[in-house]
């Protein structure tokens, strides 16, 4: 393997770990799912993502924007209106999130049974 290819693979692996660290949390995934195919205002997201604090919503939206998964548009109104939309990579990631949700639904009873057995074996 050439040094160039090896370096590219190393950078891609490092970047993948960094991105996964940013998005592999319940809030980021719920935000991605909530935005979906629409544009959402910050206040709409705050209401629709059940249980998220203002601070956590802000932090996760910044991480999603930093990683190119969400675009943020500030409208010069008083008070300022801020809209969030998934980018193409964000929409593609949403397909993966949807697949994870489908998997959970499909295997819910098996997961619950396993958790019950585990809890009773302790």
């Amino acid at each position: 393997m050439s040094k160039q290819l090896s370096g590219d693979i190393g950078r891609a692996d490092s970047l993948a770990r960094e991105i996964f660290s940013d998005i592999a949390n319940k809030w980021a995934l719920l935000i991605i799912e909530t935005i979906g195919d629409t544009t959402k205002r910050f206040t709409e997201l705050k209401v629709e993502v059940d249980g998220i604090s203002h601070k956590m919503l802000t932090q996760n939206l910044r991480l999603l924007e930093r990683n190119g998964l969400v675009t943020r548009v500030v409208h010069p109104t008083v008070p300022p209106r801020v809209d969030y939309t998934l980018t193409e990579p964000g929409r593609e990631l949403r397909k993966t999130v949807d697949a994870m949700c489908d998997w959970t639904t499909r295997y819910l009873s098996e997961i619950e049974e396993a958790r019950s057995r585990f809890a009773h074996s302790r």
Side-chain angles (χ1 to χ4, degrees):
M1 185 181 331
S2 73
K3 280 187 173 185
Q4 176 66 34
L5 183 56
S6 176
D8 289 347
I9 291 170
R11 280 196 311 277
D13 183 54
S14 176
L15 180 59
R17 279 187 263 154
E18 186 179 331
I19 291 168
F20 293 151
S21 175
D22 286 349
I23 64 169
N25 70 72
K26 69 178 181 179
W27 298 124
L29 297 176
L30 286 171
I31 291 166
I32 289 167
E33 192 61 27
T34 301
I35 294 172
D37 294 327
T38 64
T39 295
K40 297 280 186 177
R41 295 176 70 175
F42 183 92
T43 51
E44 290 175 304
L45 288 169
K46 177 77 175 75
V47 169
E48 293 179 31
V49 179
D50 190 39
I52 195 166
S53 68
H54 185 95
K55 178 181 176 181
M56 287 308 295
L57 180 56
T58 300
Q59 287 176 352
N60 278 275
L61 284 168
R62 285 182 182 154
L63 286 173
L64 293 170
E65 183 181 10
R66 174 180 174 255
N67 286 299
L69 303 172
V70 168
T71 57
R72 177 179 182 263
V73 176
V74 180
H75 300 275
T77 59
V78 179
R81 189 180 102 212
V82 182
D83 293 330
Y84 295 91
T85 307
L86 294 180
T87 61
E88 181 181 344
R91 289 188 301 274
E92 287 298 313
L93 178 60
R94 182 171 173 245
K95 291 178 185 177
T96 302
V97 173
D98 288 345
M100 290 169 53
C101 291
D102 292 345
W103 174 87
T104 304
T105 301
R106 182 178 309 139
Y107 293 105
L108 182 62
S109 62
E110 288 92 335
I111 293 166
E112 288 176 332
E113 287 173 21
R115 287 182 170 195
S116 178
R117 283 192 309 272
F118 183 81
H120 290 98
S121 70
R122 299 238 148 221

